[in-house]
Structure formats: structure tokens, C-alpha cells
Amino acid sequence: EQGNMEFLINTPIRPLELMLGKILPYLLIGVLQTALILGLGHLLFQVPLPQDWLSLWLVTLLFILASLTLGLLISTKAQTQLQAMQMTVFVLLPSILLSGFMFPYAAMPTIAQWLAEILPATHYVRMIRAVVLRNTHWLELWPDVLALLLFTCIGLLLATLRFKKKLD
């Protein structure tokens, strides 16, 4: 993206339109990656494919949007791409460790559980396990769906407000 920000700043689009334009292509990439991972998981490890595809794709889209919004928030704070990548490590590592993916969520200290509830990965791990392994409908997962929706909306609002159409 080096050099493109100057062009984007000079266009008549609003900051929210710019934010949405930046995340939509990555949403498609995330969907393709999910399809590839689920396909390989099914072929190589016999992970069952869910019967409720709508629930699978809905919770996946919510997670991808929340994660991309988190990336936008980081990019509005960082001055350079290198700084953004370094800041991402401080979010990505806790997301993986506290999500319940590697270590049981219930075995974590209470403060770690509170912190985990802020991160989108925690909600997605819960939802994807429920959809794929127990064939749960997305409406039954409403607390996690609501959490990701709120995270995405608030994050997008904050990223839009923090974005300035000028170069430093």
C-alpha cells in the first residue's frame, strides 16, 4: 500500500467509505481461506462438515469483519506498516492464547477470561466449535454473535473517527 494513501486522501469519498473499501477485498480472501481450511480439514482429518451452512458462513463472516476492524484500528494508530505489524503481534498472541483454542477457557484465571471476552477470536472459537461439532444454529449463539457485531460496529466507528484525510 505504499504510495496509495496519497491517492485515496485526494478522492471525494468519506472516511467510512474508505474503511469499508479497505476491508471488503480482505473479507473475500478470508472466506476463501475458510473454505480451503474446512475442505482440507474434512479431507485430511475427517472433520465433519456442518449441515447448517448458513450458520457456518454467518459466524465466519462476523469473525472476519471483526478481525479486519481490529486491523483498521491498529492501522489508524500506527505511523508505518512496520509499526502496524509490530502492534499486531501484541493483539494476535493474546488472541490465540486466550481464545480457548490452545488452552481451556474455563481453566483460565478470571481476569484472563475477562480480557478474552474483548477479543473476537474467543467468540469465534466458541461459535465455530458449536456449529461444526454440534450443528448449532447461529440464533442459539446470540451472545457471541452480538459480541462480534458490537465489536465490529464500535471498532469501525472508532477507526473512522480516528482516520484523518491528511498525511503526517
Side-chain angles (χ1 to χ4, degrees), residues 1 17-33 64-65 68:
E1 295 189 16
E17 294 168 336
L18 179 64
M19 296 294 138
L20 290 173
K22 286 181 77 62
I23 64 173
L24 288 178
Y26 295 107
L27 181 65
L28 178 62
I29 292 169
V31 168
L32 292 173
Q33 287 177 332
I64 294 168
L65 282 172
L68 291 171

Side-chain angles (χ1 to χ4, degrees), residues 71-157:
L72 281 176
L73 280 170
I74 291 170
S75 70
T76 61
K77 183 71 176 160
Q79 299 294 319
T80 65
Q81 278 185 324
L82 178 61
Q83 190 178 29
M85 288 188 288
Q86 290 170 339
M87 291 169 69
T88 302
V89 171
F90 290 105
V91 175
L92 186 62
L93 193 58
S95 289
I96 294 168
L97 295 175
L98 298 178
S99 68
F101 175 70
M102 294 181 68
F103 307 108
Y105 177 84
M108 292 180 204
T110 305
I111 189 102
Q113 290 179 2
W114 291 348
L115 181 60
E117 290 299 321
I118 298 169
L119 301 168
T122 303
H123 301 283
Y124 184 64
V125 166
R126 259 188 238 137
M127 290 189 301
I128 199 68
R129 282 181 178 162
V131 169
V132 172
L133 300 177
R134 295 190 308 268
N135 204 33
T136 306
H137 190 269
W138 71 271
L139 286 173
E140 297 175 53
L141 305 169
W142 69 267
D144 291 311
V145 168
L146 182 62
L148 286 183
L149 276 173
L150 281 172
F151 185 92
T152 301
C153 292
I154 292 170
L156 194 56
L157 176 68

